[in-house]
Amino acid sequence: MKSLLVTLNTRVLKVLLFLTMIMRYDSIFSEGNDDRNSDSELDSGSGSEDEDGEHPSNEAGLSDGVDNFDQGDQSASEDSREVVDESDSSEDEVGPRNTIGDVPLKWYEDEEHIGYDVAGKKIKKKERLDKLDSFLARTDDANSWRKIMDDIEDEEVELTKEETKLIRRMLKGKAPHADFDPHAPYVDWFAWDGAKHPLSNAPEPKRRFIPSKWESKKVVKYIRAIRKGLIKFDKPKEEPRFYNLWGDETEESRHGLSYIPAPKAKLPGHDESYNPSLEYIPTQEEISAYQLMFEEDRPKFIPKRFTSLRSVPAYEKSVRETFDRCLDLYLCPRARKKRINIDPESLKPKLPSRKDLKPYPTTCYLEYKGHKGPVVSICTDPVGQHIASGSHDGTVRIWEVETGRCIKVWELGEPVQHVAWNPLPEFPILAVSMGQDVLVLNTGLEKEENKMIADLLRVETTPAPDDSESAGSSVSWSQYDKYEGIRIKHFKTVSSVEWHRKGDYFSTVMPADILLILQLCSRSRACLTILIHLLSKKLTQRLPFKLHGLPVCSTFHPTRSIFFVSTKKNVRVYDLVKKKFIKKLDAGVREISSVSIHPGGDNVIVGSKDGKLCWFDMDLSSKPYKILKSHPKDITNVAFHRNYPLFASSSDDCTAYVFHGMVYSDLNQNPLIVPLEILHGHTSVNGRGVLDCKFHPRQPWLFTAGADAVIKLFCH
Amino acid sequence: MPKHYRPAGKKKEGNAARYITRSQAVKYLQVSLSVFRRLCIFKGVFPRDPKKKVKGNHHTYYHMKDILFLKHEPLLDKFREMRAYEKKVKKAVSKKNKDLAERLLTRKPTYTLDMLIRERYPKFIDALRDLDDCLTMVHLFAALPAIERENIQAERIHNCRGLSLEWQAYISRTHKLRKAFISVKGIYYQAEVEGQKVTWLTPHALQQVMPQDVDYKIMLTFLEFYETLLGFVNLRLYHSIKLKYPPILDPRLKALAADLYALTRYADAKDRTIGANNEESELRLAQLQDQLPANEPGALMHLVENVEDDNEDDEETKACKTLFQNKTFFLGREVPRESLLFVITAFGGVVSWDGDGAPFEESNQDINYQIVDRPTQSHRFISRDYIQPQWVFDCINARIILPTEDYMVGKVLPPHLSPFVDNEAEGYVPEYAETIKRLQAAARKEILPMPGGEHEDLENAQSLLAEGVIDRTEAKVAAEKKQKMALQEKQYHQELKKEMEGMQDAPDRNIDDVKNDSEENTDMSPQQLVKDDENMTMVSMSRKKRRLYEAMKISQGRKKANVETLETRKKNLKKNKKVTSD
């Protein structure tokens, strides 16, 4: 064993290393070369036996080594015989010439020396043969295969025959020496028989006789794992990946909330074809026009034409679109939407035929021309023979209905706001609002009872101020000088005048500023903006209620003592006898412009400045029964017919609508409202169209007054 | 007390209790957002819109019941388990315990989506109904490259390819394909399976563009579900025609990328040897098929056409089956082989192609049509037509054999029209659609009236008016027409009269007179009348109905505008053509 170790000197080791590098035979000597120090230690331990002369080459090497030591310089051929034995403990042996030890040779790469000798002198590097020369040298020398380079010593070493043999044997995986028998019979040199005492007197321990606890524990663990199926010995059988999932057609319904299937992707149209008809391809101008559009409006897909299938490229957005679809599928909220696939015409309500609802005004029959400015207000006399009109040109005219002749003209000099005829046929009196004045004029159309009228229209020149309750201070009654009549001077502009059905009372509305109202209302609870005048006694009263908001117009109930005041937002209904507020009709429109009461008294229509017409059934609710969005512009006036089931609305869009509005005596039946006719004819002046409309009291005729200074009569 | 105030002890009610936002849901389920997303995709849970959005408009809301539904999903536990397991592996790796890590990796917990599919689609028909997206996705991935960076693995691409081809093989085998359309985006197919119309899109077989800003993880999650779904659907369909699934294919053909052909062969061969085979011999059989009938192309795919099958087929399937019957096609090298192979066999034709594994050669005398897509064809056989691939698609959409003159090699093709458009509903009929219609009629031996001859029946309107059933507008239109007619009639009578009298008066004056007469009757123009009428009906409609009506009118107007642009473009084109020809 020792001899074997001895032979494994460093040179051989180096050779082996070299060989392994060449042959990549790393498996055998991987242990040998990884730790040179251990080997050298072994060597040092056996240094004394080295001299036994097993290797004559050793001695030769020794002498050579001494020589080298002395000379300091030597040739390669001399060094070939050298044996480098790294046993440094023995004095007899000469260690390696280079003393750098086991350090990487890389450190000396750039230096001129390769290391230091024992004396600490630098050992110079030798000139290396260049490749060609070394190759030539190799080819010339038959022993070149034995020569290897020792990098540390920087010299070439030639291996001996024995050494090469040794290497060959090791490469084969055998013991290095031929005469070493690895399987020699064991010789027990220790003589047991003669020993008096055993080596140990301890009794045999118990554990020698019982099975191992830990082993059994391990076994139990394995058994359990096997039983549980954690350890499997045979590979699991390949189950078929797919099977008949819907084999048992049990009627199983989906769990969870109701499933809303995703809408299917849109199917392609003609324009998505690779070869669409030419008309589907947008022109260059159209494509450039797309750039001006908003990004959302821009078409996502621009049709393109390819002449053949081979020229169609891959669609660059195919992955992107599939991805978008995926996002839609899991991120978009889904909801069931009812999609109505019907003809839009079927949405139109089935209305009774208009033929059955005749008569109603359809065509323009007469035009009353003469005014110079927009005709603001018209009014028919209770019989229906005459019509009065007030205009912004400062005149009030009376026309004969049938002929269109102008009977009378009053030059009042100030724009007229409103005209109203006394509802009693025996008193042909006209109330005219004009600026801050209200005039009550005698028309002089009734010859016989002229005296009575004259009496009625006479005012004492110095009207004694009444008690403060009746607001006498703010209103003054006086005789009108220019024409026969009374002049009632108000403190604000009067917008409308309405007669009570009995022809004695009339109300005036002053849409004052909000500040003024506040001021007035703070002084007294009663409303100052609406006044009720009593013609026979020349008295003026305030409305004894508080009003919220600006009044727009007021009306008396056609049969009972009920008074309607409309503010901009709602219509307020008061009982004049009980002096009580009855109800509020909430129209829900932007601004009310006009109100009209059905002759029955239970239904009210309200026109608004946003073009809506609300029909209120007072018995039903305070909310509108029906809202008709008829006009695109402001509704200026609405009117009921006294006898026929007709009502009309006039608007600034130069049209007037005529509706059929049937109110049934049966309370369970709702009123029937049918639009009948749109009356055109007026022209727009300064953005204003038809300013007033009134029905004829007996006939189904409609008068309309326009901003174009014309009054029209529409007949059936 | 304000309405929205809730006392401390009181439970939430209404929308606040019923709907939760996505981040709330994620917190509630104690999962990460990505796991939540996976769960939603697998379970088919989608957000729902509450009537009142309590948390604000910019949130996504889920119904609480949906979230509870997710909460009780066994897959959720499985995901948690997998996450824990991954941690184990990671720990082993970081402690450099290689053995343990390897051992752990071999026993990774896995999950299947089988029960989820059953749950989402309790009946097979439900699955078919939802198959569109699935097929489109699988076909897309079959055409994508495998990208390691995006975790798109080659096996999955192969699996997708296999699944899509199996589906196509089934469709073509049972002649269920109804429509096909080459669009810029790819080729659309529509099949009718068990009464359900299934439409899918296959991309053009070219290098696809892979955008960077797409989250492939989401797509792969969807794909995972779709792969499973399509597998089960395919199995069911194959079993319904008594074929084994998964099919065993001839490896030689597979290697030549002729999988679809291999699949058709497989299906045909199974028909021939029903019940005779053991399972083991099938592979050998698949290989043998290749050698057996190699010389007889006609007999190859249609050796056995089961007669008893015909009884089950409905009319349309029969028509599809016989469209290309006894026709033999040969595909050129440059033609998209897979698509045409699928389409032609689905309509009963026999196909071969230029390349390895083809059933017969180009020189075969039975070939009727050779499909080529090149500018010129140098060597031609006289017995066959050389046509461009669009012909096949136009034929199957029209369900007749179209004349091949327009589709010859090198000709400018007629437009390829979409079969998915209802021209009548759209309001615009392209010129070529009319040509095809006439050809179809000719094929049915009917005679259609020539286009352009419109017979507007005036009497019709009058009779309608008499009945008093029609709308007012219609009556108005009719009245208008009547007026016009009366005008003409009057003029005619006057002229007659004059002729009788022998007077030679200026005709211009007469017409004016007549016009004046008629205008006296109605002082308004007919357009005004119609508009008035429209307004009046609008007035009497309720607001809801009016809005609906207006919306409908808007959409109708849009449609009309589209049609008008098409028509103007057509007119301009014609004008330009005339100018250039002059």
Side-chain angles (χ1 to χ4, degrees), chain B residues 454-487:
Chain B
E454 287 179 32
H455 302 288
E456 285 278 327
D457 209 359
L458 197 87
E459 293 298 317
N460 198 10
Q462 278 172 333
S463 63
L464 277 173
L465 197 69
E467 281 167 35
V469 236
I470 43 163
D471 278 6
R472 283 181 204 181
T473 39
E474 279 178 65
K476 277 266 160 66
V477 173
E480 220 175 292
K481 255 181 209 158
K482 216 159 100 184
Q483 197 184 328
K484 234 183 256 169
M485 273 296 284
L487 199 125

Side-chain angles (χ1 to χ4, degrees), chain A residues 557-558 564 585 596-605 615-620 625 640 661-664 670-671:
Chain A
H557 192 274
F564 295 84
L585 302 178
S596 180
I597 319 288
H598 190 264
D602 279 342
N603 295 282
V604 179
I605 51 172
W615 177 291
F616 287 95
D617 194 333
M618 301 255 284
D619 298 333
L620 209 64
Y625 156 64
F640 265 114
M662 188 61 166
V663 178
Y664 300 97
N670 285 329

Side-chain angles (χ1 to χ4, degrees), chain A residues 653-681:
Chain A
D653 61 352
C654 300
T655 59
Y657 270 73
V658 180
F659 299 88
H660 175 84
M662 188 61 166
V663 178
Y664 300 97
S665 52
D666 178 11
L667 286 176
N668 289 329
Q669 202 165 0
N670 285 329
L672 172 74
I673 299 169
V674 182
L676 290 175
E677 191 71 48
I678 301 172
L679 304 174
H680 300 265

Side-chain angles (χ1 to χ4, degrees), chain B residues 309-356:
Chain B
D309 270 7
D310 289 346
N311 304 335
E312 295 160 20
D313 295 341
D314 53 299
E315 280 297 309
E316 210 172 2
T317 313
K318 267 182 205 161
C320 290
K321 211 177 193 172
T322 53
L323 184 67
F324 287 147
Q325 211 166 33
N326 306 325
K327 301 255 187 322
T328 313
F329 293 80
F330 190 82
L331 309 180
R333 227 168 358 98
E334 66 284 354
V335 167
R337 185 214 296 168
E338 214 145 75
S339 157
L340 281 167
L341 191 62
F342 166 50
V343 168
I344 294 171
T345 45
F347 283 83
V350 182
V351 197
S352 177
W353 60 88
D354 195 357
D356 291 333

Side-chain angles (χ1 to χ4, degrees), chain A residues 68-273:
Chain A
N68 291 341
F69 187 69
D70 293 337
Q71 287 165 7
D73 202 3
Q74 85 244 70
S75 64
S77 60
E78 282 169 351
D79 280 337
S80 67
R81 301 252 88 208
E82 190 207 34
V83 173
V84 180
D85 203 338
E86 288 188 10
S87 52
D88 45 347
S89 63
S90 163
E91 296 92 52
D92 308 329
E93 283 184 8
V94 176
R97 194 165 57 99
N98 196 349
T99 57
I100 51 168
D102 186 19
V103 295
L105 289 178
K106 221 171 77 183
W107 296 355
Y108 292 91
E109 246 177 17
D110 301 330
E111 305 295 331
E112 284 188 340
H113 60 286
I114 50 159
Y116 306 91
D117 57 12
V118 179
K121 281 180 190 162
K122 282 181 183 174
I123 305 172
K124 287 267 187 303
K125 266 186 195 168
K126 273 176 222 153
E127 279 290 313
R128 285 271 176 107
L129 293 173
D130 63 345
K131 285 226 167 147
L132 188 67
D133 289 342
S134 66
F135 177 72
L136 286 176
R138 270 170 186 278
T139 46
D140 291 345
D141 193 358
N143 277 346
S144 68
W145 64 276
R146 270 187 204 175
K147 286 178 184 167
I148 56 164
M149 195 67 195
D150 184 353
D151 282 332
I152 295 179
E153 302 296 337
D154 195 20
E155 61 194 4
E156 207 162 28
V157 183
E158 191 176 335
L159 301 178
T160 57
K161 220 172 201 175
E162 290 77 32
E163 280 167 342
T164 52
K165 264 184 198 162
L166 204 74
I167 291 163
R168 281 209 181 103
R169 286 186 62 81
M170 286 181 86
L171 283 176
K172 278 177 190 164
K174 292 176 184 168
H177 274 274
D179 45 355
F180 174 73
D181 183 12
H183 308 294
Y186 176 69
V187 182
D188 197 357
W189 296 109
F190 187 75
W192 293 97
D193 309 330
K196 218 167 189 183
H197 300 289
L199 283 178
S200 158
N201 208 15
E204 273 303 81
K206 188 184 175 188
R207 63 177 177 271
R208 301 267 165 84
F209 303 99
I210 55 169
S212 161
K213 182 184 169 190
W214 303 110
E215 237 172 59
S216 68
K217 269 195 171 177
K218 200 91 187 166
V219 168
V220 165
K221 210 174 163 190
Y222 280 131
I223 288 169
R224 283 202 180 129
I226 290 166
R227 273 190 198 147
K228 270 189 190 168
L230 298 177
I231 297 174
K232 280 166 193 156
F233 297 103
D234 44 347
K235 268 196 171 177
K237 222 176 127 191
E238 278 276 310
E239 285 279 310
R241 174 77 191 79
F242 300 111
Y243 52 92
N244 195 355
L245 192 64
W246 296 280
D248 52 332
E249 282 286 345
T250 46
E251 286 298 308
E252 204 178 303
S253 59
R254 247 186 90 96
H255 298 293
L257 278 179
S258 70
Y259 177 64
I260 304 171
K264 297 207 166 181
K266 206 175 148 270
L267 288 174
H270 292 314
D271 52 341
E272 278 187 36
S273 167

